[in-house]
Amino acid sequence: MEKKLLLEVKNLVTEFYTEEEVIRAVNDISFSLYKGETVGIVGESGSGKSVTSLSIMRLISTPPGKITHGKILFHSESGSVDLLSLSEQQMRKHRGNDIAMIFQEPMTSLNPVYTCGDQVMEAIMLHQKISSKQAKEKTLELFREVQFPEPNRIFSTYPHQISGGQKQRVMIAMAMSCQPTILIADEPSTALDVTVQKKILDLMSTLQDQRQMGILFITHDLGVIAELADRVIVMFKGKIVEQGSVWDIFSNPQHPYTKGLLACRPPLDKRLYWLPTISDFMKTETSGEMKESNRSVESVVSKFIITPEDRKKRHTKLYDSEPMLTIKDLKTHFPVNPNIFGKPQGLVKAVDGVSFEVYPGETLGLVGESGCGKTTLGRTILRLVEPTEGEIIFKNYNLAKLNSREMRNMRKHIQIIFQDPYSSLNPRISIGEAIMEPMKIHNILGSDKERRARVIELLERVNMGEKHFFRYPHEFSGGQRQRVCIARALALSPQFIICDESVSALDVSVQAQVLNLLNELRDEFNFTYIFISHDLSVVKFMSDRMLVMRDGKIVEMGDADEIYSTPRSEYTQTLISAIPKGRLEDIKNSIAKKKTRSSVFA
């Protein structure tokens, strides 16, 4: 049976105008989308994938952006229309009705002053002539469809009262409210736990089968694309550099950029000491042009494999020493639900009787879903959150017993790199001043001139430079800002660093660069890390040992490779099974399942 064409993008060009230059964010791209098909668009930040989706939705604001060339043909039962030829009023009839979009960050997409139910009702009543009572019934039906166990409760809650995964389900319900023909999903699962991500992706697949929508799925994670997409489009600097079936792209990538994206994901079936990056496949010439390499993914990855013997030698040396940090029965409880007299009616046991040790030079991975207590544990160790009970022994000092002045002095030795580098940096001071600030507080070096020289050394060490000293945080990319935060953590020459989800929001290629930098610094300065993340593949790459947390407790602890290969707890098994692995056998199984489902819903 011939597939029905839904969307054709022909020679699309979208430009942005600045005082210095014209930036061609989307540069003459063409592709199509069919009924019941999922097309994945992948690439790094700045590749043009999100601008492509906003161009299709006609959400590019003028100025500074403008669609300058091309056609976007939408095909429906009533005929074909070029979306670029429509007036704004005409476009509104299609936007949200025929073509819906799920944005990357649900919290910024939902209005904080309206309940979740009211916002979905508003979308329904905007496009359909029905009463508010009917709209409410339809909203509750949609909430059941996106698998909310208590639709009535979610209807009455505000966005800040529900989790990230639940907010994303509300956005999916809103997008589905008018039964669109095309759904555009822009990084809908980037910041979610792997288990929540799997549920969201399964939900989208189910809804697609039932409604036979065409889906444009935009992401930088090729592992997600492998299990979801039928075809893949790879974008680089505004252009499509490769497109084909998901099987062809993964089994035989042709463009060096595609090979780089595939190679820089932390592998689960082997142990590497260094992650390949885009530069291993594409070299920048002095002219600024990219020179392509013909090396295969396998040949590049094979250079960085650690043998079991080398790993055993490292661990023998690591665990032959005394622990640097010892945690004994640590508890952090938060009182909740105060009554009219301010007396709490309950406790949230965020960290509940945790004990473990960390050795000098070790990277200890800490994994678990949101709400498991891993971030609270990291902050409690630093006394950014006060412990309820227990001991935090660092270098023979019990940090839990130190007064504020003593703890402040101790913070020279223990630093933290936070999840969001932008909110960690003061937007009003230059990054050079931001790195110097802790040095001034702790009287490191004798003068600002010496401190500035030290800051420039640190910037160069994290692959930046003196020219960046006077720039402000907004002038950098996410990966560069994270490098600044690493440089600031290094400014006090700490012995111990806690990395709290420090790469979770980065592109896979930038993530690989930051992870390599952290490992390089660990080996150079003999740093000790606690590496906190919900991404088990990243933690496995970084860690010597791993702790798995759930509901404030440690459910499993041991060698990172052993936990991955033979997980003992059912919870760890669930975490591992939810990781999108991107293996060819998984892609083959996924293709077979899609064919079966298509025949059922045809």
Side-chain angles (χ1 to χ4, degrees), residues 390-458:
E391 297 183 353
I392 308 164
I393 310 298
F394 176 74
K395 294 276 188 178
N396 297 320
Y397 291 94
N398 185 356
L399 303 187
K401 301 294 184 184
L402 300 183
N403 62 37
S404 58
R405 185 180 57 81
E406 292 169 330
M407 189 62 216
R408 180 174 171 179
N409 289 332
M410 193 59 69
R411 286 205 176 100
K412 285 188 293 188
H413 308 296
I414 310 178
Q415 286 290 296
I416 186 167
I417 302 169
F418 293 101
Q419 177 175 0
D420 182 0
Y422 196 67
S423 61
S424 306
L425 295 168
N426 188 329
R428 293 185 177 88
I429 65 172
S430 71
I431 63 154
E433 290 294 328
I435 298 170
M436 279 177 64
E437 186 179 35
M439 298 168 72
K440 289 179 179 178
I441 290 170
H442 290 279
N443 294 315
I444 306 295
L445 301 177
S447 66
D448 280 352
K449 184 179 179 180
E450 291 177 288
R451 292 183 192 113
R452 181 178 170 178
R454 174 63 177 152
V455 169
I456 292 167
E457 282 178 27
L458 290 169

Side-chain angles (χ1 to χ4, degrees), residues 422 425 427 429-431 464 467-478 480-481 484:
Y422 196 67
L425 295 168
I429 65 172
S430 71
I431 63 154
M464 295 179 74
K467 64 181 180 181
H468 297 120
F469 187 98
F470 291 107
R471 294 187 187 175
Y472 289 84
H474 72 272
E475 298 180 79
F476 296 96
S477 67
Q480 287 174 316
R481 284 196 287 264
V484 172

Side-chain angles (χ1 to χ4, degrees), residues 41 253 388 418 427:
I41 303 181
T388 305
F418 293 101

